[in-house]
Amino acid sequence: MSDTLPKYWQSLAERAGDLGVLEQARNEFAEELPVGVAAAPPDPSSRRDFFKVMGLSAAAAMVACQRAPVQKVIPYVARPDEVTPGLSLWYASTCGGCSARCGLLLKTRDGRPIKVEGNDEHPVSRGGVCAVGQASVLSLYDASRARFPALACERTTWAKLDAGVTEGLRKAAEAGQGIRVVLPPVTGPSVEAAVKRFLAAYPTARTVRHEPLGELTAIGDAYRVTHGARVVPDYRFDRAKVIVSFGADFLGTWVSPVAFTRQYTEARDAAGKRAMARHYQVEPVLTLTGAAADHRFPVAPSDVTPALGDLVKRLARRAGRAMPALDSLPAPALEEAALEQLAEALWAQRGASLVVCGGDDVAAQVLASTANALLGNEGTTVCPAEGVTLDGDALAYGELLAELRKGGVGAVLFVGVNPAYADPRGAELTALLKGVPLTVATNDRLDETAFLARFHAPEPTALESWGDAEPRRGVRSLRQPAVAPLHDTRDGVESLLLWAGAPRSHHDLLRERWEAEVFPRAGAAGQDFGAFWDDALRRGVVTLPPAQAEAPAFREEGLAKALAGVARPSVEWELVLYPTVALRDGAPANNAWLQEVPDPITKVTWGHPACIAPARAKALGLSDGDVVRVRAGGQELSLPVLVQAGTHPAVIAVAVGQGRTRAGRIADGIGGNGYPLAAVVDGRARRAVPGVTVEATGAREKLALTQTHNSLEGRPHVREAELAAFLANPRAGNEEHGGHGGGHPLSIWSGHEYKGHRWALAVDLSACTGCSACVVSCQAENNIPSVGRDEVLRSREMHWMRVDRYYAGDEANPEVVHQPMMCQHCENAPCETVCPVLATVHSSEGLNQQVYNRCVGTRYCANNCPTKVRRFNWFDYKHDEPLERMVLNPDVVVRSRGVMEKCSMCVQRVQEAKASANREGRPLRDGDVQTACQQSCPAKAIHFGDLNDSGSAVAKLAKDGRAFRLLEELNIGSSITYLTKIRNTGSGGGT
């Protein structure tokens, strides 16, 4: 390994040279007997032991060769005209996984949705999909969803439910009692129209907005202070030359991470633009966004707002503005040199910089808004006029609880929210709802809140229902069902309209509103509405001309009041409750794909640890797996410790989203609920909690971690370069390898001749953020089973693709590199030479193929794979739920036990594209084939194509100066090209 390369490490134990890590690497392929079974090692000189081992191997091979179970196929009685068996239909739609509302394409086969992909025509998400969006197709077939309406948790009919709800609403209105509709902060134009119709029907009705993470609400309330409008601005990272984030994980979970990831990678495209935005991150816990930053400053949660306030003071001085409201802010603990560096960098790029802030602290959001106003960023990198307007008349959730305590509420309707679980006052809500005459929930399952309600009117999922969204002012997207509702469920909009005395379908409401509001603005001259509607359904999105509304101006009057309560407490521990990229607020927790995808930073699956800093762990004598008890505000939670690099020493960090009790058979009982530990300040739930106590319990619990058992043993697997060095030399950081990964010229093999295609991948490490959308997309496309926590503990996860996370430097604040890792489809594949039955062979187009019905499970190929990307199918993983089997892709065989499997470069997609080109009488074009990982990537970091086509993107990237291949010194001849990661850490402002 070159001395110029930094030393990378995957875990703190590996960095310290722990002997246990070395022993684990040596024993990577050791067998493990069941618990309680002991056996003496075989005596190599014993003939008896020799035949014993050989007999076991033969028996295992016989079992592995058994045929897969027979499944019967039922034909159509009358085939629908639009369905051709074996061919896919695609529907454009809108994701319902979070408030970002990204554009989707839904793939259906014979009437059932089997895959979610991004809509390239959507101007906001631009073809990207996150892990949650990818997994939504599995949630569609979730066997734990509600299948019928319920009264007091018992099955009822819709007629009885509607009669009971309507009667309860009538009584509440006649008695002058409040009717409260609890909703998410962002829904969609048609949903909001139905809510307004409901409010008009019941004069005592008001909306309540509940957001578990509180970030959109905090931003909206802050902009009401600074601009007089309750909006979440449209942030444009692609227009910024300097980005400063205070705890905003905008690449992971904040506001609209898919859109922001694409913008971010474009702003930092050093190879294409010869310029690169510089990114500074101030945060208490290492996040996906902090891992991508050029400069990262770990701070305690209580220091985020003071540090931001001090930065605003420095900007105000440079702008010549006197802002006395800032004088009351406490001094920050962050070093003055760091704050001056941030101020100088921003000021040098005023008008082309961006300050963002995460969390639920309104004061911090007010300061971020003030910073952007002082820098002149409004209208360029932050656009309040183009953002999302929040409900300005809604009650806060704390106000609802205050009303319930007084007893003046006659009805509460929960529409798509679950505050009994996702709020620290869930126990209080449980008690208070007992005194409310009418309670209704429309959630898709009998979850923690729906279980409390008298009536449960379950909604279908977003893949079964109509709707629309406006993720950016003027961008209107449609959501259409890809399948009829699988159960006896009803759209929440239809329920509200029926209870308001104006029954109609959501489709009819949607079409009427688009004809009245969208069609006139679309400028579709000479087109009737029917044609416009059909085209909008086909494309999934319509971009309207910009409105002439005047952007709200910044005002300083409310700053003093908004910043009055800011303090920096001096405490021993501070708790941070944070969302993960897979489970977010916990709503999609009953999804095995999301439970099993490793967290991009911690690499934990099937649970959540309590993360603490390495220095603090050493001081307390704690190590990974030691169980600690966290106490906050009379609540407590016991979790195993994970010693996490990059965590501030005062912080203990716990991911929310686990601890479900009524989510379903997948999620129930995993981990603990962190929401009850949150603080309530001025009626708001706050996820940063100072003054908690932490104590060791003496117990231990294993963490289901990945990657640490995939060591590459110190080989140079990733490469980096500084921007200045790259601009001076395109091969910077990669000088030894000639810029094309040529490998060693000597070989005992004659090589392969490719007369047609030669398929290959290229991965840009500078663009990859590690979001893991590709991992879930690959799992959905290729029928990869979820194996569960116990199997992950045995290093038996089945993902064909993983995203390795490597650290470099100081454990207190390391640099991070993410590297997608899949089968390398080697020219001189080590696996091919050792397979005794030729189950793994090289194709005429450069693919390393796995022939499942030949494989007898010797696992020689896995032992011989230097990149450790082959998976052994130990069991017939459960597909016993008939409904959940509907998610399987018929283009990919479901593997039975006892065979090896690994990335195929989506060969089924290659063959489908070939067949399509053949039908059209043309050759394949570059871009006709997109692998699942490539298509889903929000950063567009993955490229697939034909190396024999000199004009293809992958062929050009393979010859780029940044190109390198893994383990070239072994002469394996990888078909995967990686491009060096470029960092912009140089001093000075901007790029």
Side-chain angles (χ1 to χ4, degrees), residues 250-461:
F250 58 82
L251 300 178
T253 60
W254 188 73
V255 183
S256 186
V258 168
F260 295 160
T261 296
R262 183 68 177 275
Q263 295 173 12
Y264 181 80
T265 54
E266 289 179 349
R268 291 170 61 81
D269 181 15
K273 298 171 60 176
R274 310 300 291 175
M276 187 176 184
R278 183 167 297 139
H279 173 200
Y280 300 85
Q281 187 82 3
V282 182
E283 61 183 8
V285 180
L286 183 61
T287 63
L288 205 63
T289 306
D294 298 307
H295 296 276
R296 179 177 178 272
F297 305 97
V299 298
S302 58
D303 198 42
V304 171
T305 304
L308 181 50
D310 189 272
L311 175 63
V312 175
K313 290 180 185 179
R314 295 171 189 269
L315 296 175
R317 284 198 297 268
R318 285 170 167 79
R321 292 279 296 269
M323 303 185 105
L326 303 175
D327 296 339
S328 64
L329 294 175
L334 186 61
E335 295 179 358
E336 182 175 352
L339 290 164
E340 187 62 21
Q341 181 184 7
L342 297 179
E344 185 61 32
L346 287 166
W347 192 252
Q349 295 294 342
R350 51 192 181 276
S353 56
L354 178 59
V355 178
V356 293
C357 180
D360 46 24
D361 184 1
V362 176
Q365 299 293 349
V366 165
L367 289 168
S369 173
T370 304
N372 285 313
L374 290 171
L375 291 164
N377 293 334
E378 293 183 349
T380 54
T381 60
V382 54
C383 306
E386 297 178 17
V388 177
T389 301
L390 302 184
D391 185 354
D393 298 325
L395 295 173
Y397 182 69
E399 294 177 285
L400 169 65
L401 294 178
E403 289 184 334
L404 291 175
R405 293 186 201 106
K406 295 177 182 177
V409 178
V412 181
L413 284 67
F414 298 97
V415 180
V417 292
N418 186 13
Y421 161 73
D423 193 272
R425 297 154 289 189
E428 182 182 10
L429 177 69
T430 301
L432 291 173
L433 286 183
K434 295 176 181 178
V436 179
L438 175 65
T439 52
V440 185
T442 69
N443 302 351
D444 71 337
R445 67 197 63 230
L446 202 65
D447 60 17
E448 291 85 349
T449 298
F451 182 73
L452 304 176
R454 177 166 175 77
F455 293 98
H456 183 210
E459 290 187 278
T461 67

Side-chain angles (χ1 to χ4, degrees), residues 2-184:
S2 170
D3 293 337
T4 62
L5 291 170
K7 181 181 179 181
Y8 295 99
W9 39 280
Q10 298 168 317
S11 66
L12 291 165
E14 181 184 347
R15 184 176 187 270
D18 190 300
L19 295 178
V21 174
L22 300 177
E23 184 67 20
Q24 179 181 344
R26 282 195 294 267
N27 295 333
E28 181 174 354
F29 297 100
E31 299 294 340
E32 182 175 324
L33 289 172
V35 176
V37 177
D43 181 359
S45 63
S46 168
R47 185 170 179 270
R48 182 190 298 262
D49 283 338
F50 171 80
F51 281 107
K52 186 188 301 182
V53 172
M54 292 302 296
L56 177 62
S57 300
M62 291 174 62
V63 172
C65 290
Q66 291 178 0
R67 292 185 177 273
V70 175
Q71 296 184 2
K72 296 182 180 179
V73 177
I74 301 175
Y76 285 114
V77 176
R79 180 177 63 83
D81 293 337
E82 70 277 8
V83 174
T84 301
L87 295 183
S88 301
L89 288 177
W90 293 85
Y91 298 88
S93 192
T94 300
C95 185
C98 72
S99 61
R101 300 294 192 259
C102 298
L104 296 184
L105 296 177
L106 308 177
K107 179 181 180 179
T108 67
R109 179 62 67 84
D110 299 332
R112 58 187 176 90
I114 58 172
K115 185 69 171 64
V116 165
E117 296 192 351
N119 185 355
D120 289 330
E121 294 191 39
H122 197 285
V124 178
S125 57
R126 295 192 286 173
V129 189
C130 70
V132 176
Q134 288 287 347
S136 61
V137 68
L138 182 61
S139 295
L140 166 68
Y141 301 115
D142 186 352
S144 299
R145 286 174 50 203
R147 304 192 179 205
F148 43 76
L151 169 60
C153 299
E154 298 292 334
R155 184 167 189 166
T156 189
T157 64
W158 282 106
K160 291 181 180 178
L161 182 144
D162 292 333
V165 171
T166 305
E167 177 67 12
L169 292 170
R170 182 188 63 80
K171 289 182 178 179
E174 291 177 352
Q177 294 179 312
I179 298 172
R180 300 293 176 255
V181 184
V182 190
L183 299 150

